[in-house]
Amino acid sequence: EFIGLMLLASALYLVGVYVVQRYNCGPAALFIILGATVVFRLFFLPLSPTLSEDVYRYQWEGRVVRAHLNPYTVYPAMPSLRWAEDPDHPIETGKHTPTLYPPVSEFAFSWAKSVAGYKRLFTAFDLATVVLLLFILSAAGRPLQHVLIYAWNPAVLIAFSLSGHNDSLAILTLLGAVILLIIGGRGVLSIGFLGLSALSKLFPVFLLPAFLRRSRWSYAGIFGGVLLLGYLPFLGAGGHLFHGLSDFTAKWEGNDSLFSLLLSAGNSVRQAQFVAGILLILLISYVLRARMDIFRACLVTLAGLLFLSSNAFPWYFTWVVPFLCFLPSPGLLLLTVTCVLGYSPVIAYAAGGSFSNSALVQVLEYLPVFALLGYEVARHFRRRQASQ
């Protein structure tokens, strides 16, 4: 029922995207878009986050940080830390694994105490992203009504106002880096915000070459310095600092696409990760050589990262949505709709079943997307050849 209703909502969302792209909507339309943006989030906020247990992990880690413990050295299964759990929602997933979240997220977890508090916090960052997108659209000379592509996106609504995921913090700081880069060329501040974004969720690390190419390559030291300052309070973890992250990448596989194909070809997990890493490096190199603008560079890199990752949970696709406001790729817009199918294993798990990927669901989720993206790429190269 949930997936059916969300696909219906997504169809209506795509109609809205078509209208703002096709027609010159006036100020009244922008007022309606922004009003509905708030109403949609207010609808989801009071609901229980039944699609993900992540917010309960945030709550546990927030209590640990407030108790001045190092979250990179402790984990929920430790008997001495039972007091940090929500008794109504004991942590089962990753209970023997220290945190995999970067330091800025850890600090953010300590700001709220209840599940409702985390949902309000990360929805506030989500709404701030809407405001920042309006400024970026204005600076880029794009219609402000295109903010609908992010503000009404069902994947975004589910991820933040329903489930309370922390990705909204990384997206907000990433867009801060973008606007600082395109307005006045404030390269130092832009790289600093990119570092803050990477300290919230690690995916912006892969965007660093695109930002350095548009500022100065020497600013890589600033990025490294920001990361070092962020991790400084937790360096007592020593070799355990990235244990949680390595455990996650080694043991978890969920809702993946190309990575799943690499495994199906007979590769081990390590071999598949190596091949995926090489392909991602080649993609980033292509982005640098192609001299794309920052919006296209971010969109292509993040899409490639999601396709090649061993974990592509539905809320991860919110990373690309802000850039679709500037480059509304039909294939990637479709992906932000079909990704709701990725909740199928989560719903089964919440109902007491096992958490396992379904090949049929993955085909339904990704095959139409890859077909449409293939058509877009072929059309792009035909047009380029015709213009030469």
Side-chain angles (χ1 to χ4, degrees):
E1 290 174 350
F2 164 78
I3 290 176
L5 288 171
M6 291 314 302
L7 289 175
L8 174 60
S10 297
L12 297 174
Y13 160 74
L14 292 177
V15 171
V17 173
Y18 174 81
V19 169
V20 298
Q21 288 287 320
R22 183 66 182 266
Y23 301 103
N24 185 20
C25 303
L30 181 61
F31 178 80
I32 293 171
I33 290 169
L34 296 179
T37 294
V38 175
V39 170
F40 293 156
R41 285 155 175 80
L42 290 177
F43 172 80
F44 281 113
L45 269 176
L47 303 181
S48 177
T50 53
L51 293 174
S52 172
E53 298 177 338
D54 284 8
V55 69
Y56 300 108
R57 180 69 187 233
Y58 303 165
Q59 186 180 47
W60 183 89
E61 295 191 7
R63 290 170 176 170
V64 164
V65 171
R66 287 195 300 273
H68 304 291
L69 299 174
N70 192 329
Y72 298 96
T73 60
V74 297
Y75 46 88
M78 296 177 73
S80 61
L81 294 179
R82 294 283 170 81
W83 57 268
E85 274 193 335
D86 184 333
D88 295 326
H89 298 277
I91 295 172
E92 297 295 335
T93 304
K95 62 182 179 179
H96 293 282
T97 304
T99 187
L100 55 87
Y101 299 106
V104 169
S105 282
E106 291 298 326
F107 292 128
F109 296 158
S110 68
W111 299 343
K113 296 183 179 181
S114 65
V115 169
Y118 288 107
K119 292 182 63 174
R120 287 193 296 267
L121 176 65
F122 293 120
T123 299
F125 291 140
D126 171 38
L127 286 171
T129 295
V130 173
V131 174
L132 191 53
L133 275 171
L134 290 172
F135 283 107
I136 300 175
L137 284 166
S138 176
R142 309 294 177 88
L144 298 183
Q145 291 81 1
H146 288 188
V147 76
L148 175 146
I149 294 174
Y150 176 87
W152 286 17
N153 187 277
V156 170
L157 292 169
I158 295 168
F160 305 135
S161 54
L162 176 61
S163 299
H165 285 291
N166 70 320
D167 301 64
S168 60
L169 174 57
I171 292 171
L172 176 62
T173 45
L174 172 58
L175 290 181
V178 170
I179 195 169
L180 287 167
L181 188 67
I182 66 175
I183 297 180
R186 295 176 173 85
V188 173
L189 286 175
S190 175
I191 296 299
F193 265 81
L194 186 66
L196 289 176
S197 185
L199 287 170
S200 304
K201 200 109 180 187
L202 290 174
F203 71 88
V205 168
F206 298 96
L207 301 177
L208 178 61
F211 276 82
L212 292 177
R213 191 187 178 285
R214 289 156 182 82
S215 52
R216 293 183 181 179
W217 290 99
S218 59
Y219 289 169
I222 296 172
F223 184 83
V226 171
L227 294 189
L228 179 60
L229 285 174
Y231 277 99
L232 193 60
F234 305 104
L235 289 182
H240 295 282
L241 195 59
F242 297 104
H243 176 73
L245 181 63
S246 63
D247 191 51
F248 175 75
T249 55
K251 297 180 180 179
W252 279 84
E253 181 200 354
N255 199 45
D256 47 330
S257 54
L258 296 182
F259 189 86
S260 181
L261 293 178
L262 291 174
L263 290 177
S264 300
N267 295 293
S268 66
V269 172
R270 288 188 178 275
Q271 289 171 332
Q273 288 174 340
F274 177 77
V275 174
I278 294 297
L279 292 175
L280 185 58
I281 291 172
L282 292 175
L283 177 64
I284 293 173
S285 300
Y286 169 75
V287 168
L288 294 178
R289 291 197 310 272
R291 299 181 179 275
M292 300 177 180
D293 62 43
I294 191 61
F295 304 115
R296 190 178 298 275
C298 288
L299 183 62
V300 171
T301 303
L302 290 176
L305 174 62
L306 290 168
F307 289 139
L308 291 167
S309 175
S310 59
N311 290 282
F313 296 117
W315 53 93
Y316 288 8
F317 294 101
T318 60
W319 304 347
V320 304
V321 181
F323 301 101
L324 293 173
C325 296
F326 307 92
L327 298 161
S329 158
L332 294 179
L333 276 169
L334 179 62
L335 178 62
T336 69
V337 169
T338 61
C339 72
V340 71
L341 295 171
Y343 281 106
S344 299
V346 180
I347 294 172
Y349 179 73
S354 60
F355 188 101
S356 59
N357 294 321
S358 165
L360 175 60
V361 167
Q362 288 172 290
V363 168
L364 293 173
E365 180 178 357
Y366 289 110
L367 186 59
V369 171
F370 284 128
L372 192 49
L373 286 174
Y375 170 76
E376 287 183 59
V377 171
R379 185 178 62 176
H380 168 74
F381 281 108
R382 281 200 304 269
R383 286 180 175 177
R384 195 169 73 172
Q385 287 177 352
S387 63
Q388 289 177 349

